[in-house]
Every structure is written in structure tokens, then in C-alpha cells.
Amino acid sequence: MQRSDATRDDGTWVGVSLDVQDRHQPGLCVFSAGPQLLVSQLSRPVLLAVVDEHLHGVDFWRTDEYRTFVPPLRADVARALAGSPERWAHRFAQYLIDAPDSPLHEGRWLLSCESPLRRWRHTDTSHADYWSSMLVDGHPDGYLDWFDHSISWEILPLRPMPAADDSRVKAYRKQARDGTLPPVLLWWVSGLDCHLILDGHARLAAAIAESVDPPLLQLHRTMPRTDLAARTDEAVGFYEYELARFAQLRVVHGPTVPDGAATAGPQLVSRLHDLNTAQQPTWAWPLPGGEKQWRRIAREVTARQDWPH
């Protein structure tokens, strides 16, 4: 396991990069059986899902079997790490590494405070209204609507969100007001086209209750190292091609033609950054037993209710 800081070319911190080895299948795992998905934690069914045949969305059923792998976060630790996304990211990265029931498996990952969820809030919308709208309703079952919420990347809690007067939420509301609220840990799952809350249901509820922007840490897969090397070579090759093309133009048209570095250079920097940090699709393992096994699990966890309808 290798861990390092990911930064932009100007040195701006982006997140913690994790290079995981010798973990062939995670404890928190996505299984697939045709259009059906199963999220399982150490063999416990956590979330069942069925992708709509027209790809308009996903029916889901939560089992209340999810257990966070993050230990309770003490208030004195929250005060000590307040205002430092980097230190929080390294702490949560260690939790992910140490836990046998986290979603980490071999490959490269990024744990970052930069989330696309922040892009869509309009200035005339309160934090409470916005983040409430990003939460997917429904328990135990519900529907992720890809048609109405295209590219908004909603948040799907893995257990019911606690009320504003819940004792844990009350404690976190003070931290939200003080600016010491620990981050909410999200996991981007491409097969659901949304974020799952791995830890911080009560913290997110507190941020909504206080109408403040919740601190976030988002986990997603990034490009495998073998692919990264090849794609980096491609990007560098394109940069060199562009410089050679501009050099030929200068031979024909004279020195008034730029050398191309002012255009190709920033493009190369941007492409290399994206290659190193951009989201990659979530891995899903074939469910042993296939669709028959998925239907058996669905009958058990739904107590033979007619789901999906």
C-alpha cells in the first residue's frame, strides 16, 4: 500500500492518492448479475439495486446492515484538525486502509475534498435546501432517478438519515456552528451514478440542520498505474507532435507564427492532472450464482415483498 499527496502543477493540494496492492476483493463489494446489483459488506447484503431497462434510473432496497468502519470521532480531535482537509484526508485514508470492510481493492484511488456535488448549488439556494435536495429519499426502498437528476450525482445514505433532534446530530450541530465538524465520507459508485455515505450520516444531518456547507471527503477509483503510464506517454507524444507541427508552420510562414508552447503546454498539464485524479468506473464482481442468487437474496431481505414493483 502506497499513500501520497496528490497536487496540481502549482502545488495546490487535491487529495490523498492510494495505490492498493494485494487486496483482490474488498470487504465492501459491489456485485453484479445482469441489471441487478448487490452491495455487500463482509457477506452481509447492504444494498440491492435494479437498473431500469430504459436506463432512466435504479430501484434500490436498503437492508440496514451497513456498519461504518470509521471509529467514533472525538470532539478534541475534531477541534485539533479543524480547517485542515489534508490532515482529515490522511486520517480517513488510514481508516480505509486498516479496515477489512472498506471498499478498497487493488488499484489506484483518490480521497479528495473536491467533490462535483458542490458545483450545482445556486447562490440563492440555502445550504440546507440544496443538501436536502441531494439526498435520495426512500426507506427501505426507493428510486434513483437518472432522468430528472442527470449528472447531479446525488447522495444515497446507507441507513436512514437521523432527525435534527437526534442526540448525535445535536452534538454535531454545535461543531457545525463552530466550524469544527469532521468531514462526511462519500464513495462514488458509477453503477448507481451516485455517492454512498460511508461515514457521517449524523454529521451531514447536522450541517443541513444548521444550513452550512458540509465538509466532504470523496473516494473514487482513478486510473490504474499500468494504464496511467501508457496514457501519460500518449499525452507527452501529443505535446511533442504539436510543437513539431508549429515548428513546420514557422518554417513556412516565418517567426510570426508562435512556437505552440503557450497552447500545448497548459493542455499537457491539464491532461496529466486529469489522468492522475479523474474518476474511473467502479469495479463490480460477478455475483456467484448470478441472477438466481440475487433473486434469492432479494426475497430474504425484503421478506418476500413484491419488490421491485
Side-chain angles (χ1 to χ4, degrees):
M1 183 84 68
Q2 297 179 1
R3 182 172 65 180
S4 59
D5 285 307
T7 59
R8 300 188 189 279
D9 63 298
D10 61 0
T12 303
W13 181 83
V14 173
V16 176
S17 177
L18 302 172
D19 195 341
V20 182
Q21 301 171 0
D22 299 325
R23 189 178 291 190
H24 302 299
Q25 184 172 305
L28 185 61
C29 188
V30 180
F31 292 98
S32 64
Q36 290 91 2
L37 298 175
L38 168 68
V39 180
S40 176
Q41 186 178 37
L42 298 180
S43 301
R44 297 190 310 271
V46 169
L47 183 76
L48 288 158
V50 183
V51 178
D52 183 275
E53 62 177 331
H54 302 294
L55 303 182
H56 289 169
V58 182
D59 288 288
F60 68 84
W61 183 289
R62 289 184 305 206
T63 68
D64 277 345
E65 289 296 320
Y66 176 71
R67 301 292 180 266
T68 182
F69 49 84
V70 176
L73 302 175
R74 293 161 48 99
D76 58 339
V77 173
R79 288 192 297 270
L81 300 185
S84 178
E86 297 95 330
R87 295 176 68 191
W88 273 123
H90 277 280
R91 179 175 284 263
F92 274 83
Q94 195 61 53
Y95 296 146
L96 286 159
I97 292 169
D98 292 342
D101 52 351
S102 86
L104 291 186
H105 57 76
E106 58 188 9
R108 294 179 62 253
W109 300 76
L110 182 69
L111 183 61
S112 174
C113 64
E114 295 185 352
S115 171
L117 290 166
R118 300 193 188 280
R119 300 173 188 168
W120 308 111
R121 188 182 75 86
H122 298 293
T123 54
D124 58 350
T125 303
S126 71
H127 288 296
D129 288 342
Y130 174 72
W131 290 104
S132 295
S133 73
M134 297 305 291
L135 287 170
V136 179
D137 293 327
H139 184 75
D141 60 327
Y143 185 71
L144 276 161
D145 195 323
W146 291 349
F147 186 78
D148 285 343
H149 298 278
S150 177
I151 71 168
S152 64
W153 303 301
E154 296 170 289
I155 299 173
L156 178 58
L158 285 176
R159 59 173 179 261
M161 292 292 291
D165 59 354
D166 179 272
S167 59
R168 295 166 302 158
V169 176
K170 286 183 178 179
Y172 283 129
R173 289 181 67 169
K174 183 179 186 302
Q175 292 182 325
R177 293 192 298 270
D178 296 343
T180 61
L181 188 67
V184 179
L185 179 61
L186 304 176
W187 175 31
W188 167 252
V189 177
S190 61
L192 299 171
D193 198 29
C194 76
H195 298 81
L196 301 183
I197 302 179
L198 294 181
D199 188 71
H201 292 74
R203 297 195 292 279
L204 181 55
I208 292 172
E210 294 297 325
S211 195
V212 299
D213 200 25
L216 302 176
L217 284 173
Q218 176 180 310
L219 178 71
H220 63 256
R221 285 188 62 243
T222 56
M223 188 169 293
R225 190 159 298 282
T226 51
D227 295 343
L228 179 63
R231 296 288 295 276
T232 298
D233 289 342
E234 290 177 6
V236 172
F238 179 77
Y239 169 77
E240 294 172 342
Y241 167 81
E242 283 292 281
L243 293 187
R245 185 171 67 87
F246 273 92
Q248 292 175 354
L249 291 173
R250 286 168 66 90
V251 170
V252 175
H253 300 288
T256 56
V257 176
D259 63 8
T263 302
Q267 288 178 344
L268 175 63
V269 170
S270 178
R271 291 183 68 181
L272 292 179
H273 174 74
D274 289 344
L275 288 175
N276 197 41
T277 62
Q279 293 177 349
Q280 295 293 301
T282 308
W283 276 5
W285 276 255
L287 179 65
E291 295 189 32
K292 182 178 180 180
Q293 173 67 0
W294 186 93
R295 288 192 294 270
R296 185 191 68 78
I297 295 172
R299 287 195 299 270
E300 290 181 356
V301 302
T302 64
R304 297 187 178 274
Q305 297 186 46
D306 183 21
W307 177 88
H309 302 291

